Amino acid sequence: MPLLLLDLDNTLLPRDAAFRAWAGDFLTENGLPAGDLDWLVMLDGSGYVPRSTVLGAARRRYGIDRSMESMLAHYRDGINSHIQCPDSHVAALREAREAGWTLGIVSNGGTLPQLEKIRLTGLAPLVDGWVISEEARCLKPDPLIFEIAARRCDFRPAGDWKAQTWMVGDYGPADIAGAAATGLRSAWLHHGRPWGERAYRPTVSAPSLPEAVRVILAAGEHPAAGRGFAAAAAGRPQRSRGQLAIPASRLAPLPVKAVKAANAGQSTQAPQTVQSTPAAKAASTPLAQQVPLVKARPLAPIESAQARWGDPAAAAG
């Protein structure tokens, strides 16, 4: 049974859209210019700028006479009221579960706000476990946090766990670099952006989580042997070697469309991009009514580990 690890913000949950909605509410409630919305979004940096920096700058810009603790509480309540897990993402997780995959969440950020997102959006009953950097005392891209995630999910593969694990995320320096440093295969959600890192690359690239999951499931059924992107892009016939039991360095799983694009002249110096297809539709019943949150699996005991990447609560992912 292979393992699928997923980032939280802007991978499972549309975090940037929720921040934009909160920022709009913040400006309206305080009688501030609506045109400053883009300024707040720019300062936010997709959640990778510390909240104290973002809110402190806003407080000084607008002369708001409130404590930082009060503003932080308002921000956390507001953004979580806007965030939700899209039906297409729920359907993708269920598809992976039905295919026999173990599912886990690996997130950088503060324990309480990230855990609240997992529970409020109904993700808790859909996965086998999760790890958040603050409580684990280590951050992506540290390989330790991925190892903790595998243990939290009770993942016990027949062979090397790394050879049977994928990581999906939207942020290269944390999600994809972390997967590469750990020895995992990875799927990068490009969200319309070009890949800009030179030292490492994702195994595959996709525009959305549902598409990434479909590509990974297809790779599990039809693994392709080879080294990196070059072997896969060459289009040479590959012999199937079984269910994800090959070291990640010898696999370059690509969907048929991506291989055809490569044969047509696509550069092998960039991750393969998968064309978007319509996402599967989930049932119309709200997720919270389908699966009660009381079924959520509690956190396992925290493993001892020293912080290696500064303040683990500084960024959310």
Side-chain angles (χ1 to χ4, degrees):
M1 180 182 293
L3 173 62
L4 181 60
L5 299 176
L6 305 112
D7 172 51
L8 185 61
D9 289 325
N10 292 324
T11 296
L12 283 167
L13 304 178
R15 183 263 169 206
D16 283 356
F19 177 86
R20 192 175 187 89
W22 168 82
D25 290 346
F26 171 78
L27 293 172
T28 300
E29 292 169 8
N30 290 280
L32 301 172
D36 280 7
L37 179 61
D38 288 341
W39 181 84
L40 284 169
V41 170
M42 175 186 66
L43 201 62
D44 172 61
S46 290
Y48 290 100
V49 177
R51 298 301 86 195
S52 58
T53 299
V54 177
L55 298 177
R59 186 171 61 168
R60 289 189 299 273
R61 179 181 178 93
Y62 303 118
I64 297 175
D65 185 19
R66 294 177 61 179
S67 68
M68 182 58 65
E69 291 74 14
S70 174
M71 292 190 69
L72 278 169
H74 181 275
Y75 162 77
R76 288 168 178 162
D77 290 343
I79 194 170
N80 283 348
S81 70
H82 286 290
I83 206 162
Q84 60 182 345
C85 187
D87 289 345
S88 59
H89 292 193
V90 174
L93 293 180
R94 288 177 173 156
E95 182 180 359
R97 171 76 74 202
E98 292 172 0
W101 287 69
T102 299
L103 306 178
I105 297 172
V106 186
S107 176
N108 282 355
T111 304
L112 292 180
Q114 297 303 86
L115 186 57
E116 186 175 13
K117 291 175 189 175
I118 291 172
R119 288 176 171 162
L120 286 177
T121 58
L123 284 172
L126 299 177
V127 298
D128 295 283
W130 52 77
V131 57
I132 301 169
S133 62
E134 184 180 48
E135 50 90 6
R137 295 186 287 278
C138 60
L139 280 164
K140 293 179 293 185
D142 190 335
L144 177 59
I145 197 169
F146 300 97
E147 296 169 8
I148 293 173
R151 293 198 294 270
R152 292 273 178 91
C153 293
D154 288 333
F155 185 58
R156 296 182 175 88
D160 179 12
W161 74 274
K162 299 174 185 178
Q164 302 180 49
T165 302
W166 281 78
M167 174 65 196
V168 181
D170 70 297
Y171 188 49
D175 302 316
I176 308 306
T182 309
L184 315 179
R185 281 167 290 177
S186 62
W188 178 57
L189 305 187
H190 60 70
H191 298 316
R193 304 163 295 166
W195 179 257
E197 303 292 339
R198 295 179 179 273
Y200 57 92
R201 292 170 294 173
T203 310
V204 296
S205 174
S208 68
L209 177 67
E211 190 65 33
V213 170
R214 279 192 285 272
V215 171
I216 291 170
L217 296 188
E221 296 172 359
H222 307 287
R227 292 184 180 274
F229 298 100
R236 295 193 297 268
Q238 303 292 346
R239 180 168 60 90
S240 174
R241 298 194 179 191
Q243 293 289 329
L244 295 178
I246 310 170
S249 61
R250 299 187 62 190
L251 286 175
L254 287 172
V256 174
K257 289 184 179 179
V259 175
K260 289 182 178 179
N263 291 335
Q266 185 173 345
S267 171
T268 62
Q269 298 304 311
Q272 303 297 330
T273 301
V274 181
Q275 297 299 318
S276 177
T277 58
K281 294 183 179 180
S284 58
T285 305
L287 178 61
Q289 296 180 17
Q290 297 176 27
V291 186
L293 294 184
V294 293
K295 293 184 179 179
R297 178 190 180 119
L299 285 173
I302 298 172
E303 291 84 352
S304 297
Q306 294 182 346
R308 302 183 182 184
W309 300 88
D311 178 11

